[in-house]
Amino acid sequence: MRSVGEHLNLCLLAAEPLPELAVPLEDAVGCVLAADIIADSSLPATDLAGGDGYAVRAQDVVHSPAILPVTADIQAGDTVWTRLVPGSAIRIASGAPLPPGADAVVPVESTDMGISQVTVNQPASPGSDAMVIPSGIDVPSGATVLRAGQRLDAQKIALLAALGKGRVRVHPRVRVVILSIGDELVEPGAHREPGQVNDANGHSLAAAAEEVDAKTFRVMVTDERARLRETIEDQLVRADVIVTTGGLSYGPADTVKDVLTPLGAVRFDNVAIAPGRQLGVGKLGEVPIYCLPGNPVAAQVAFETFVRPALRKMAGWSNLYRTSVSAKMSRGWVSPAERREFVPVILTGKPGEYRGEVLGSHPQARLAALALANAFAVVPEDVTEVKPQQTLHCMVLE
């Protein structure tokens, strides 16, 4: 029997980071940067007005009230700027470029809002007060603003767009085909005959893959060998990785091993994990394939333990694993010998004082418990009885 660590190593060996691509910003959301981003211009590129008001020389409004002629009007986006004549004012909109000769902006509420002439009722400060946004104060030219390995979210996309980066080099989103295998499966919501079951795994595994920003495709297929083989070969065209669920037991209808063995370098092992046991890993040509159990709880545990780190590696992440914390268990239970057990818990408390409320009672029937859990308590292989208040490491799911 292989250990959890040995099987995880095989899963990671099968996964390689996807080749870098230069993509438009709209296609980069959720991807991991493949190269540092260097600002080739300042942000903002010029001094800007921080609010609606009047651009002036601070020395012209030292004594208030000061009455100045208004010589021009500048709006945000104007590309031709009028130079400020000493002793005058230019009406300016928020975000508009500060005209040459001006060093301050008087807020409109501190004036009489004049059109051809304005009365300024308070002095203005030169330079970087709230009403003047200096060039480069946000990002100076030449600065490294984002590092390779960071995920591009809305905030980072905003920065890239503001800097004029229309395309960026990223590790593309991983295309994952989720293959649910079994004659008994039906799509949730469809008519179900006695003995048939809803395909929970296809939906749950697709959702889990999408949580690591993968692009997913769900496929249901029967156990029939020719049909299963044809489906797998068809999916290789669009897959960066294939994840199967079901068909791994030893019955006559469990055909995954028979079909996959001739197609590529795929191995199947009993792994010292609970829930679950039989797992597969390998490659079909250049496409990694991970074979998970059909039990919904075991499939989720196997995905979190083995597949999620592999997908993050393919997507270019440097940090592959979930956060782990220690927590005291709310109650005890008997754990299977020589297997690493993953038990759904709700973590509460604060660092150093976490508590884990154990959910569910049967290792193979904890799907409702899993829906409430925010962590897995991990029981080592050499522990067969967990005591109440015993401390265990927990894999945090949120």
Side-chain angles (χ1 to χ4, degrees):
M1 182 179 293
R2 289 202 167 268
S3 70
V4 169
E6 289 171 334
H7 190 74
L8 174 59
N9 186 55
L10 290 174
C11 291
L12 293 176
L13 285 174
E16 293 294 338
L18 297 181
E20 302 171 10
L21 292 176
V23 300
L25 283 187
E26 58 267 27
D27 296 331
V29 180
C31 296
V32 175
L33 269 176
D36 293 348
I37 299 295
I38 310 297
D40 49 22
S41 62
S42 299
L43 187 64
T46 186
D47 294 348
L48 302 177
D52 293 334
Y54 295 82
V56 299
R57 295 194 313 165
Q59 66 189 71
D60 291 336
V61 293
V62 171
H63 303 292
S64 57
I67 300 175
L68 304 173
V70 178
T71 61
D73 196 328
I74 299 179
Q75 299 296 319
D78 284 351
T79 58
V80 179
W81 313 330
T82 302
R83 173 173 285 275
L84 179 74
V85 176
S88 68
I90 292 178
R91 191 163 57 173
I92 192 166
S94 178
L98 201 67
D103 62 4
V105 173
V106 178
V108 67
E109 56 268 23
S110 298
T111 73
D112 67 351
M113 305 183 190
I115 303 300
S116 61
Q117 178 178 281
V118 64
T119 299
V120 177
N121 297 317
Q122 71 174 39
S125 302
S128 59
D129 63 2
M131 291 299 292
V132 176
I133 307 172
S135 169
I137 194 170
D138 197 354
V139 177
S141 180
T144 300
V145 293
L146 295 173
R147 295 287 185 183
Q150 292 183 285
R151 176 186 179 273
L152 292 178
D153 55 18
Q155 294 75 26
K156 295 180 182 64
I157 292 292
L159 176 59
L160 292 170
L163 289 170
K165 305 289 186 181
R167 300 176 72 87
V168 289
R169 294 197 67 81
V170 298
H171 297 281
R173 294 175 66 191
V174 182
R175 298 170 301 168
V176 182
V177 172
I178 309 293
L179 204 60
S180 301
I181 302 169
D183 295 337
E184 75 280 12
L185 298 177
V186 296
E187 185 68 20
H191 175 71
R192 182 160 54 96
E193 297 289 347
Q196 292 184 313
V197 297
N198 293 315
D199 177 27
N201 287 357
H203 288 275
S204 64
L205 294 175
E210 287 166 7
E211 287 177 359
V212 291
D213 297 312
K215 184 176 182 180
T216 60
F217 307 93
R218 289 193 310 107
V219 180
M220 279 198 314
V221 63
T222 67
D223 294 300
E224 198 272 319
R225 287 172 174 80
R227 180 61 180 151
L228 178 56
R229 179 189 177 104
E230 178 185 353
T231 300
I232 291 172
E233 291 176 333
D234 287 345
Q235 295 306 314
L236 288 172
V237 176
R238 64 174 176 178
D240 294 315
V241 59
I242 293 177
V243 178
T244 72
T245 173
L248 279 184
S249 295
Y250 296 97
D254 296 303
T255 55
V256 170
K257 285 172 275 190
D258 292 345
V259 170
L260 286 179
T261 300
L263 292 181
V266 185
R267 61 176 297 156
F268 297 90
D269 294 287
N270 286 330
V271 179
I273 191 171
R277 182 184 291 265
Q278 181 92 171
L279 295 165
V281 59
K283 296 186 99 170
L284 304 179
E286 296 300 315
V287 177
I289 183 165
Y290 303 104
C291 303
L292 309 185
N295 175 272
V297 180
Q300 281 289 306
V301 168
F303 182 93
E304 287 292 335
T305 308
F306 305 115
V307 181
R308 186 179 187 274
L311 294 183
R312 285 177 68 87
K313 181 181 177 183
M314 295 180 71
W317 289 94
S318 56
N319 180 14
L320 305 183
Y321 304 108
R322 294 279 198 182
T323 299
S324 178
V325 300
S326 297
K328 290 184 178 180
M329 297 297 103
S330 61
R331 60 178 173 85
W333 69 92
V334 175
S335 185
E338 298 181 349
R339 296 171 72 187
R340 188 177 302 181
E341 186 182 23
F342 291 76
V343 178
V345 297
I346 296 178
L347 284 182
T348 57
K350 58 185 180 180
E353 299 179 12
Y354 286 119
R355 292 185 56 79
E357 179 187 347
V358 181
L359 302 172
S361 56
H362 193 288
Q364 299 294 326
R366 283 178 167 148
L367 197 54
L370 190 57
L372 300 176
N374 60 8
F376 283 125
V378 183
V379 186
E381 291 86 342
D382 59 353
V383 175
T384 57
E385 184 178 0
V386 178
K387 304 289 186 182
Q389 304 305 310
Q390 183 170 338
T391 297
L392 295 175
H393 289 293
C394 297
M395 176 196 297
V396 181
L397 300 178
E398 296 181 351

